[in-house]
Amino acid sequence: MSRPYVTVIVVAHDGARWLDDTLRALAAQSRRPDRVAGVDNGSRDGSADLLSQTLGSGNVISLPRSTAFAESVAEALDRMPSRGPDEWIWLLHDDCAPDRRALEALLTAAADDPKAAVLGPKLRDWLDRRRLLEVGVTVGRTGRRDTGLEPREFDQGQHDGTREVLSVSTAGMLIRRDVWERAGGLDPFFPLFRDDLDLCWRVRNAGHKVVVVTSAVAWHAEAAARRRRRITVSGDHPRRLDRRNAIFVVMVNLPFRPMVWALLRNVLGSAFRTVLFVVSKQPANALDEMVAMGSILVHPFRLLRARRARRHGRTKGYPRIKRLMTPPGAAYRRLIDMVQSFLAGQAPVDSAGRHHHHHGSSEEDEVLPPPDSGAVKRFLSRPGVVLLLALTAISLVAERSLLGGERLGGGALVPVIGGAGDLWAFYTEDFHDVGLGSDAWAPPYVAVVAALSTLAFGKTWLAVSVLLLGSVPLAGATAYLATRHVIPAVPARAWAAGTYALLPVATGAIAAGRLGTAVVFVLLPVYASLATTLLTAERRRARRTAWTLGLLLAVGTAFVPLVYPMVAVLGALALAAARRNPAGRRGGRASRQARVGWADGVVVSMAIALLLPVGLLFPWLATLVADPGKLLLEAGLHDPALVDASPAPESLLSLSPGGPGLPPLWVTAGLLATALAALLMRRQRMIVAVGWGIALYGMLAAILVTRISVEGARAWPGVPLAFAGMGLVVLVGLTAHRLAELRARGGLRRLGATALVGVAFSTPLLAAGFWVATGIRGPLVAEAPDVLPALAASRTVHGERTLVIKGPEFTVLRGRTPLIGESELPVASEARRRVATAAQGLASGRGGDAATLAQHGIAMVAVAPPVAPELARTLDSQPSLQRMSLSEAGGLWRVIEPVTRVPAQPESALHKPWLWAQGALVLVAAVLAAPGRRESPQEAGEPARGAVLAGVS
């Protein structure tokens, strides 16, 4: 074999601080190159002089500062004639120093595999010489650059071996010159970033191999990618240029069908990332994302020309290239990582794999680990995941009678019908032509359900099922996450979350169809966590937390208004305690000034958290203030049969709110016994006092709620007892380590501690076992009967109404079963009184009242099953009524009197503007609540371990 001829091209641009080492490494190669050319792109730091001193002035080309890397290499090759088919081109950046045997190893690998036309070395970090940067590069269909390495992974030989890859970097790339010329070299369209990927893709389409040779090593500073020097090659911002090239290289090299799908994914992905950048307060990054995507869309002919130039071998070579690209599943993992980074307060990750920060700089590429068969196993073995899966399995088995139905309803939940569009129309309309008609504001929780239904592809039943039937696993998840800074021990956290999720409040709410209690039960741990952060974090984070707490408190108040005063009272008490003894504050004049400033900041943050729900719920909330008793009611129907008239004190003490579907008292006795035992502990008295204080506060509120009657029904004390249960659970979780200390001492203390542990675990185990064994025992069913008979619905197609009689109660429907929230609309008292009088007259046989019904648009009278024979005979005897049907499914009579059409009501002049104002306030609050850049631990101001709900540490 003839000896290969090697031409080295070194391109420099303001790289003097690395270039000297690069040239020394080149001169020390064990296999010396045959000729070397240097190209300087208008350097102002002495790079040109270094090249001339080392290579000779005759071997150095000077070009303008705006010259791209592709143009620099092309200019050097134009001045050096080809030396035949055995000539190789070795490309070096000014910040890439190869190992002494790098060129020798690359040429040896090329000789071993004649099909290898492009070879690249293993790249390590310039500063941390052990750290891996690249062992070949691949890409996803969104242009995301993946290296297949763990973040900050050290080189221990774990990736060694010569193998095919999709692409290698131009930093140290060795390529046959004839292949370079046939492929057209580097495309000048890519002045920086992704030019290597585009070239390697074209080389592979031509039938050649691209190989990484790990026995060849080079150290790379990545000065351009890490913004370690000024980039003058393009007028675009580097981040924008990188994103544009990422999309473009995929669009021009994929075959047509994959390209169309990739284009759609890029458009949607760019929109999603733009939203994340906006809400995380990074407008510059959002602008870069939009401009980069727009630069592709507004130049379709440029895209077509580039695709036409790459058409040869594109479809034929795609199957081999597809195997080397990032697997589709990784895109979904990255989407989850992006959202998690956003929620954790970190900068979102773009499709180039780089974190973006508010100051405009960029870190090095984030790398994607290779597929790991044990990753799923490790994920599923996490305590939080195990807890969530266990609670989900328990819920599915216990709720077996509710699964698979088409109309969930019963108890406090009206049968779930309609879709997201129906709920949005109901919430935004001025006059509600349902029942007897109402111009009142729709309950605001309707907007929350409508928003969740929209996310659930317009399916209201799915959103309600997740909120209600999934409340136990959701509550377990929120409790586990919310206590991560409060309860340090993971087993104690898991126990606390599982015990809280299985409290009788949760199972009773599901059995009775109490959607409001279920939502608040899930949110309570989040309230506690946010309140603790608000009271202990530094001002900027506390202010952001206040907006988050205000938004979520508005959601909970919309479902259960009682939540607001209960949280406000606890917030005021916690604020007073924190102002008296702020954590970490010392004496001295400066410290006193700091305390005053800190206290003022906490007051402002607390005011934001408590005033935001008032602004968001104001028109509806004002009607509750006018009738304070309604603050005790929650979303849904208010059936007196669902609430115990006077629950026993021991029932409330065991956290059982009464009503259907509740476990016996002995199920929660273990939690109460363990919490009582905590009173005997000499240490952590403040934690015990705060926990028991919250528990007693909830129990007293529950007693007060059960003593008040509202609209003929008593309020359900589920939410106050949820507060009490949360206090006891956190109290026991925080003192759990004391049991471990007692067990370590041996003797009777060990025996007593072991007994207490068994008593504590009895509550979640007994609750889960009882719930699974008995299932749902309550009025909630999977197939709720339609309130309006089908015959009545078919005969009232022009808006006529139907009077439905059920025992002593009645309701008026208009053509269909009411949507969620419609049955809670107040109606004019005079109209309701007249219809009630007419209905009572018909039922009693007095007669002469059908005309009143007709005047209010009522054309049908329906009787819910079972129909009493006396009532059927009475209605049959009325000359103004004509029987339509009578069976076990109910009875239906037609009103003979001509029905009066209910006139349309004029629109309110302030309704629509106020809705727009509410929407704007939600958007502003969401942006202010969104996490910004990642904070340091000192900035984050994490609460000290043991800080309980009141912020006491």
Side-chain angles (χ1 to χ4, degrees), residues 299-344:
H299 294 97
F301 295 106
R302 182 175 64 190
L303 184 66
L304 291 175
R305 287 195 298 270
R307 286 185 57 81
R308 191 177 300 115
R310 293 163 173 80
R311 65 182 181 274
H312 298 295
R314 181 167 54 204
T315 303
K316 182 179 179 181
Y318 180 64
R320 292 189 301 121
I321 291 176
K322 184 179 180 181
R323 290 194 295 269
L324 297 173
M325 296 180 70
T326 303
Y332 299 104
R333 295 199 301 270
R334 285 196 298 267
L335 178 62
I336 296 174
D337 292 341
M338 179 183 292
V339 176
Q340 288 178 341
S341 298
F342 165 71
L343 294 177

Short mmCIF file of all heavy atoms in Angstrom, two decimals, residues 299-344:
data_model
loop_
_atom_site.label_atom_id
_atom_site.label_comp_id
_atom_site.label_asym_id
_atom_site.label_seq_id
_atom_site.Cartn_x
_atom_site.Cartn_y
_atom_site.Cartn_z
N HIS A 299 -38.35 31.13 3.99
CA HIS A 299 -37.48 30.92 2.83
C HIS A 299 -37.67 29.50 2.30
O HIS A 299 -36.72 28.69 2.32
CB HIS A 299 -36.02 31.17 3.19
CG HIS A 299 -35.71 32.58 3.54
ND1 HIS A 299 -35.65 33.02 4.85
CD2 HIS A 299 -35.45 33.66 2.76
CE1 HIS A 299 -35.37 34.31 4.86
NE2 HIS A 299 -35.24 34.74 3.60
N PRO A 300 -38.85 29.15 1.83
CA PRO A 300 -39.07 27.78 1.35
C PRO A 300 -38.23 27.43 0.13
O PRO A 300 -37.82 26.28 -0.03
CB PRO A 300 -40.57 27.76 1.03
CG PRO A 300 -40.93 29.19 0.77
CD PRO A 300 -40.05 30.00 1.67
N PHE A 301 -37.95 28.41 -0.74
CA PHE A 301 -37.18 28.10 -1.94
C PHE A 301 -35.72 27.80 -1.60
O PHE A 301 -35.08 26.98 -2.26
CB PHE A 301 -37.27 29.26 -2.94
CG PHE A 301 -38.66 29.47 -3.47
CD1 PHE A 301 -39.41 30.55 -3.05
CD2 PHE A 301 -39.23 28.56 -4.37
CE1 PHE A 301 -40.69 30.74 -3.53
CE2 PHE A 301 -40.50 28.75 -4.86
CZ PHE A 301 -41.25 29.84 -4.43
N ARG A 302 -35.19 28.46 -0.58
CA ARG A 302 -33.85 28.13 -0.14
C ARG A 302 -33.79 26.69 0.36
O ARG A 302 -32.83 25.96 0.08
CB ARG A 302 -33.42 29.10 0.97
CG ARG A 302 -32.01 28.88 1.47
CD ARG A 302 -31.62 29.95 2.47
NE ARG A 302 -32.44 29.89 3.67
CZ ARG A 302 -32.45 30.83 4.62
NH1 ARG A 302 -31.69 31.91 4.48
NH2 ARG A 302 -33.21 30.71 5.68
N LEU A 303 -34.81 26.29 1.07
CA LEU A 303 -34.89 24.91 1.55
C LEU A 303 -35.00 23.94 0.38
O LEU A 303 -34.34 22.89 0.36
CB LEU A 303 -36.09 24.77 2.49
CG LEU A 303 -36.27 23.41 3.17
CD1 LEU A 303 -35.14 23.14 4.14
CD2 LEU A 303 -37.61 23.36 3.89
N LEU A 304 -35.80 24.28 -0.62
CA LEU A 304 -35.96 23.40 -1.77
C LEU A 304 -34.67 23.27 -2.56
O LEU A 304 -34.32 22.18 -3.03
CB LEU A 304 -37.09 23.93 -2.66
CG LEU A 304 -38.51 23.83 -2.09
CD1 LEU A 304 -39.50 24.50 -3.03
CD2 LEU A 304 -38.89 22.37 -1.86
N ARG A 305 -33.94 24.38 -2.72
CA ARG A 305 -32.67 24.32 -3.46
C ARG A 305 -31.66 23.44 -2.74
O ARG A 305 -30.96 22.64 -3.36
CB ARG A 305 -32.11 25.73 -3.65
CG ARG A 305 -32.85 26.58 -4.66
CD ARG A 305 -32.03 27.80 -5.04
NE ARG A 305 -31.79 28.65 -3.88
CZ ARG A 305 -32.59 29.64 -3.49
NH1 ARG A 305 -33.70 29.90 -4.19
NH2 ARG A 305 -32.31 30.37 -2.44
N ALA A 306 -31.61 23.57 -1.42
CA ALA A 306 -30.67 22.75 -0.65
C ALA A 306 -31.07 21.27 -0.70
O ALA A 306 -30.20 20.39 -0.78
CB ALA A 306 -30.62 23.24 0.79
N ARG A 307 -32.35 20.99 -0.67
CA ARG A 307 -32.80 19.60 -0.77
C ARG A 307 -32.50 19.03 -2.16
O ARG A 307 -32.11 17.86 -2.29
CB ARG A 307 -34.30 19.50 -0.48
CG ARG A 307 -34.66 19.65 0.98
CD ARG A 307 -36.16 19.42 1.20
NE ARG A 307 -36.59 18.12 0.74
CZ ARG A 307 -36.44 16.99 1.43
NH1 ARG A 307 -35.84 17.03 2.62
NH2 ARG A 307 -36.86 15.83 0.95
N ARG A 308 -32.64 19.84 -3.19
CA ARG A 308 -32.35 19.37 -4.54
C ARG A 308 -30.86 19.04 -4.68
O ARG A 308 -30.49 18.07 -5.34
CB ARG A 308 -32.76 20.44 -5.56
CG ARG A 308 -32.74 19.94 -6.99
CD ARG A 308 -33.23 21.01 -7.94
NE ARG A 308 -34.59 21.41 -7.63
CZ ARG A 308 -34.94 22.64 -7.21
NH1 ARG A 308 -34.00 23.57 -7.04
NH2 ARG A 308 -36.20 22.93 -6.95
N ALA A 309 -30.00 19.84 -4.05
CA ALA A 309 -28.57 19.58 -4.12
C ALA A 309 -28.16 18.32 -3.38
O ALA A 309 -27.09 17.75 -3.65
CB ALA A 309 -27.80 20.79 -3.56
N ARG A 310 -29.00 17.87 -2.47
CA ARG A 310 -28.67 16.69 -1.65
C ARG A 310 -29.55 15.49 -2.02
O ARG A 310 -29.64 14.54 -1.22
CB ARG A 310 -28.85 17.02 -0.17
CG ARG A 310 -27.84 18.03 0.37
CD ARG A 310 -28.31 18.62 1.70
NE ARG A 310 -27.32 19.46 2.33
CZ ARG A 310 -27.08 20.72 1.99
NH1 ARG A 310 -27.77 21.28 0.99
NH2 ARG A 310 -26.15 21.42 2.63
N ARG A 311 -30.16 15.51 -3.17
CA ARG A 311 -31.14 14.46 -3.47
C ARG A 311 -30.49 13.11 -3.76
O ARG A 311 -31.11 12.08 -3.56
CB ARG A 311 -32.00 14.88 -4.67
CG ARG A 311 -31.25 15.02 -5.97
CD ARG A 311 -32.17 15.50 -7.09
NE ARG A 311 -31.49 15.61 -8.36
CZ ARG A 311 -30.81 16.67 -8.75
NH1 ARG A 311 -30.70 17.73 -7.94
NH2 ARG A 311 -30.21 16.70 -9.93
N HIS A 312 -29.26 13.10 -4.21
CA HIS A 312 -28.62 11.84 -4.58
C HIS A 312 -28.31 11.01 -3.34
O HIS A 312 -27.59 11.45 -2.44
CB HIS A 312 -27.33 12.11 -5.36
CG HIS A 312 -27.55 12.82 -6.65
ND1 HIS A 312 -28.26 12.27 -7.70
CD2 HIS A 312 -27.20 14.08 -7.06
CE1 HIS A 312 -28.32 13.13 -8.70
NE2 HIS A 312 -27.68 14.24 -8.34
N GLY A 313 -28.86 9.82 -3.29
CA GLY A 313 -28.59 8.88 -2.21
C GLY A 313 -29.34 9.16 -0.92
O GLY A 313 -29.16 8.44 0.06
N ARG A 314 -30.18 10.21 -0.90
CA ARG A 314 -30.84 10.57 0.35
C ARG A 314 -31.82 9.51 0.81
O ARG A 314 -31.81 9.09 1.97
CB ARG A 314 -31.55 11.91 0.18
CG ARG A 314 -32.25 12.40 1.44
CD ARG A 314 -32.67 13.85 1.28
NE ARG A 314 -33.46 14.04 0.09
CZ ARG A 314 -33.58 15.21 -0.57
NH1 ARG A 314 -32.91 16.25 -0.14
NH2 ARG A 314 -34.33 15.31 -1.64
N THR A 315 -32.67 9.05 -0.11
CA THR A 315 -33.67 8.04 0.26
C THR A 315 -33.02 6.67 0.46
O THR A 315 -33.35 5.94 1.40
CB THR A 315 -34.75 7.96 -0.82
OG1 THR A 315 -35.34 9.25 -0.98
CG2 THR A 315 -35.81 6.96 -0.43
N LYS A 316 -32.07 6.34 -0.40
CA LYS A 316 -31.42 5.04 -0.30
C LYS A 316 -30.60 4.92 0.98
O LYS A 316 -30.54 3.86 1.61
CB LYS A 316 -30.54 4.82 -1.53
CG LYS A 316 -29.86 3.47 -1.57
CD LYS A 316 -29.02 3.32 -2.82
CE LYS A 316 -28.32 1.97 -2.86
NZ LYS A 316 -27.47 1.83 -4.07
N GLY A 317 -29.94 5.97 1.37
CA GLY A 317 -29.08 5.90 2.55
C GLY A 317 -29.81 6.14 3.86
O GLY A 317 -29.21 5.95 4.93
N TYR A 318 -31.10 6.53 3.82
CA TYR A 318 -31.80 6.88 5.05
C TYR A 318 -31.95 5.71 6.02
O TYR A 318 -31.82 5.91 7.24
CB TYR A 318 -33.16 7.48 4.71
CG TYR A 318 -33.96 7.86 5.93
CD1 TYR A 318 -33.52 8.86 6.78
CD2 TYR A 318 -35.16 7.22 6.24
CE1 TYR A 318 -34.24 9.22 7.91
CE2 TYR A 318 -35.90 7.57 7.35
CZ TYR A 318 -35.43 8.57 8.19
OH TYR A 318 -36.15 8.92 9.30
N PRO A 319 -32.24 4.48 5.56
CA PRO A 319 -32.39 3.39 6.55
C PRO A 319 -31.15 3.21 7.44
O PRO A 319 -31.27 2.97 8.64
CB PRO A 319 -32.65 2.16 5.68
CG PRO A 319 -33.28 2.71 4.44
CD PRO A 319 -32.60 4.03 4.20
N ARG A 320 -29.95 3.32 6.85
CA ARG A 320 -28.74 3.18 7.67
C ARG A 320 -28.57 4.39 8.59
O ARG A 320 -28.14 4.25 9.74
CB ARG A 320 -27.52 3.05 6.75
CG ARG A 320 -27.48 1.74 5.96
CD ARG A 320 -26.15 1.58 5.26
NE ARG A 320 -25.87 2.67 4.33
CZ ARG A 320 -24.81 3.47 4.41
NH1 ARG A 320 -23.92 3.28 5.37
NH2 ARG A 320 -24.62 4.44 3.54
N ILE A 321 -28.90 5.56 8.08
CA ILE A 321 -28.77 6.77 8.91
C ILE A 321 -29.79 6.77 10.04
O ILE A 321 -29.50 7.18 11.16
CB ILE A 321 -28.91 8.02 8.02
CG1 ILE A 321 -27.69 8.12 7.09
CG2 ILE A 321 -29.09 9.27 8.85
CD1 ILE A 321 -27.75 9.26 6.11
N LYS A 322 -30.99 6.29 9.75
CA LYS A 322 -32.06 6.27 10.77
C LYS A 322 -31.65 5.48 11.99
O LYS A 322 -31.98 5.83 13.12
CB LYS A 322 -33.33 5.70 10.15
CG LYS A 322 -34.53 5.72 11.07
CD LYS A 322 -35.75 5.15 10.37
CE LYS A 322 -36.97 5.17 11.29
NZ LYS A 322 -38.16 4.60 10.61
N ARG A 323 -30.89 4.39 11.76
CA ARG A 323 -30.45 3.56 12.89
C ARG A 323 -29.46 4.30 13.78
O ARG A 323 -29.29 3.94 14.95
CB ARG A 323 -29.83 2.26 12.38
CG ARG A 323 -30.83 1.31 11.75
CD ARG A 323 -30.22 -0.07 11.59
NE ARG A 323 -29.13 -0.07 10.64
CZ ARG A 323 -29.27 -0.31 9.33
NH1 ARG A 323 -30.47 -0.57 8.84
NH2 ARG A 323 -28.23 -0.31 8.52
N LEU A 324 -28.79 5.29 13.23
CA LEU A 324 -27.80 6.04 14.00
C LEU A 324 -28.36 7.31 14.62
O LEU A 324 -27.67 7.98 15.40
CB LEU A 324 -26.61 6.41 13.11
CG LEU A 324 -25.81 5.23 12.54
CD1 LEU A 324 -24.78 5.73 11.54
CD2 LEU A 324 -25.13 4.45 13.67
N MET A 325 -29.60 7.67 14.29
CA MET A 325 -30.19 8.89 14.82
C MET A 325 -30.75 8.63 16.22
O MET A 325 -30.90 7.49 16.66
CB MET A 325 -31.30 9.40 13.90
CG MET A 325 -30.82 9.82 12.53
SD MET A 325 -32.15 10.43 11.46
CE MET A 325 -32.56 11.98 12.27
N THR A 326 -31.04 9.71 16.93
CA THR A 326 -31.62 9.60 18.26
C THR A 326 -32.94 8.87 18.19
O THR A 326 -33.80 9.23 17.36
CB THR A 326 -31.83 11.00 18.86
OG1 THR A 326 -30.58 11.69 18.87
CG2 THR A 326 -32.38 10.90 20.26
N PRO A 327 -33.16 7.85 19.00
CA PRO A 327 -34.44 7.12 18.95
C PRO A 327 -35.60 8.03 19.29
O PRO A 327 -35.45 8.98 20.08
CB PRO A 327 -34.26 6.00 19.99
CG PRO A 327 -33.15 6.46 20.86
CD PRO A 327 -32.25 7.30 20.01
N PRO A 328 -36.79 7.76 18.71
CA PRO A 328 -37.94 8.65 18.95
C PRO A 328 -38.30 8.79 20.42
O PRO A 328 -38.73 9.84 20.87
CB PRO A 328 -39.07 7.96 18.17
CG PRO A 328 -38.37 7.13 17.14
CD PRO A 328 -37.09 6.69 17.76
N GLY A 329 -38.14 7.73 21.22
CA GLY A 329 -38.51 7.80 22.63
C GLY A 329 -37.72 8.84 23.40
O GLY A 329 -38.19 9.37 24.40
N ALA A 330 -36.51 9.14 22.94
CA ALA A 330 -35.69 10.12 23.65
C ALA A 330 -36.30 11.51 23.57
O ALA A 330 -36.11 12.33 24.48
CB ALA A 330 -34.29 10.13 23.07
N ALA A 331 -37.03 11.80 22.49
CA ALA A 331 -37.66 13.10 22.37
C ALA A 331 -38.68 13.33 23.47
O ALA A 331 -38.79 14.43 24.04
CB ALA A 331 -38.32 13.24 21.00
N TYR A 332 -39.43 12.29 23.80
CA TYR A 332 -40.42 12.42 24.86
C TYR A 332 -39.73 12.55 26.22
O TYR A 332 -40.21 13.28 27.10
CB TYR A 332 -41.37 11.24 24.84
CG TYR A 332 -42.13 11.13 23.54
CD1 TYR A 332 -41.78 10.18 22.58
CD2 TYR A 332 -43.17 12.00 23.25
CE1 TYR A 332 -42.45 10.09 21.38
CE2 TYR A 332 -43.86 11.91 22.06
CZ TYR A 332 -43.50 10.95 21.12
OH TYR A 332 -44.18 10.87 19.92
N ARG A 333 -38.62 11.85 26.41
CA ARG A 333 -37.89 12.01 27.67
C ARG A 333 -37.36 13.43 27.79
O ARG A 333 -37.37 14.02 28.87
CB ARG A 333 -36.73 11.00 27.75
CG ARG A 333 -37.17 9.56 27.81
CD ARG A 333 -36.04 8.69 28.35
NE ARG A 333 -34.84 8.76 27.54
CZ ARG A 333 -34.60 7.96 26.51
NH1 ARG A 333 -35.47 7.04 26.15
NH2 ARG A 333 -33.49 8.07 25.82
N ARG A 334 -36.89 13.99 26.67
CA ARG A 334 -36.38 15.36 26.72
C ARG A 334 -37.51 16.34 26.99
O ARG A 334 -37.32 17.35 27.68
CB ARG A 334 -35.69 15.70 25.40
CG ARG A 334 -34.34 15.06 25.24
CD ARG A 334 -33.56 15.73 24.14
NE ARG A 334 -34.23 15.61 22.86
CZ ARG A 334 -34.01 14.63 21.98
NH1 ARG A 334 -33.12 13.71 22.27
NH2 ARG A 334 -34.64 14.58 20.84
N LEU A 335 -38.71 16.08 26.45
CA LEU A 335 -39.84 16.96 26.72
C LEU A 335 -40.16 16.96 28.21
O LEU A 335 -40.39 18.01 28.81
CB LEU A 335 -41.07 16.49 25.91
CG LEU A 335 -42.36 17.29 26.13
CD1 LEU A 335 -42.17 18.74 25.71
CD2 LEU A 335 -43.51 16.66 25.38
N ILE A 336 -40.13 15.78 28.82
CA ILE A 336 -40.37 15.69 30.26
C ILE A 336 -39.27 16.42 31.03
O ILE A 336 -39.54 17.16 31.98
CB ILE A 336 -40.46 14.22 30.69
CG1 ILE A 336 -41.68 13.56 30.03
CG2 ILE A 336 -40.54 14.11 32.21
CD1 ILE A 336 -41.77 12.07 30.28
N ASP A 337 -38.02 16.24 30.59
CA ASP A 337 -36.91 16.93 31.25
C ASP A 337 -37.05 18.44 31.13
O ASP A 337 -36.75 19.18 32.07
CB ASP A 337 -35.57 16.49 30.64
CG ASP A 337 -35.24 15.05 30.96
OD1 ASP A 337 -35.84 14.51 31.91
OD2 ASP A 337 -34.41 14.46 30.26
N MET A 338 -37.52 18.90 29.95
CA MET A 338 -37.68 20.33 29.75
C MET A 338 -38.72 20.91 30.70
O MET A 338 -38.51 21.94 31.35
CB MET A 338 -38.09 20.61 28.29
CG MET A 338 -38.30 22.08 27.98
SD MET A 338 -38.87 22.35 26.28
CE MET A 338 -37.42 21.86 25.39
N VAL A 339 -39.85 20.21 30.81
CA VAL A 339 -40.90 20.69 31.71
C VAL A 339 -40.43 20.62 33.16
O VAL A 339 -40.68 21.53 33.95
CB VAL A 339 -42.19 19.87 31.50
CG1 VAL A 339 -43.26 20.29 32.50
CG2 VAL A 339 -42.70 20.05 30.08
N GLN A 340 -39.72 19.53 33.52
CA GLN A 340 -39.22 19.42 34.88
C GLN A 340 -38.21 20.52 35.18
O GLN A 340 -38.20 21.09 36.28
CB GLN A 340 -38.58 18.06 35.10
CG GLN A 340 -39.59 16.92 35.17
CD GLN A 340 -38.91 15.57 35.33
OE1 GLN A 340 -37.73 15.41 35.06
NE2 GLN A 340 -39.68 14.58 35.76
N SER A 341 -37.35 20.84 34.21
CA SER A 341 -36.39 21.92 34.41
C SER A 341 -37.11 23.24 34.61
O SER A 341 -36.74 24.05 35.47
CB SER A 341 -35.44 22.02 33.20
OG SER A 341 -34.69 20.85 33.06
N PHE A 342 -38.16 23.44 33.84
CA PHE A 342 -38.93 24.68 33.97
C PHE A 342 -39.59 24.76 35.34
O PHE A 342 -39.54 25.78 36.02
CB PHE A 342 -39.99 24.74 32.87
CG PHE A 342 -41.07 25.76 33.11
CD1 PHE A 342 -40.80 27.10 33.02
CD2 PHE A 342 -42.35 25.35 33.45
CE1 PHE A 342 -41.79 28.03 33.25
CE2 PHE A 342 -43.34 26.27 33.67
CZ PHE A 342 -43.06 27.62 33.57
N LEU A 343 -40.21 23.66 35.78
CA LEU A 343 -40.89 23.66 37.07
C LEU A 343 -39.91 23.79 38.21
O LEU A 343 -40.26 24.28 39.29
CB LEU A 343 -41.73 22.39 37.23
CG LEU A 343 -42.90 22.25 36.25
CD1 LEU A 343 -43.60 20.91 36.46
CD2 LEU A 343 -43.89 23.39 36.42
N ALA A 344 -38.67 23.33 38.00
CA ALA A 344 -37.67 23.41 39.05
C ALA A 344 -36.95 24.74 39.07
O ALA A 344 -36.05 24.95 39.88
CB ALA A 344 -36.65 22.28 38.88
#
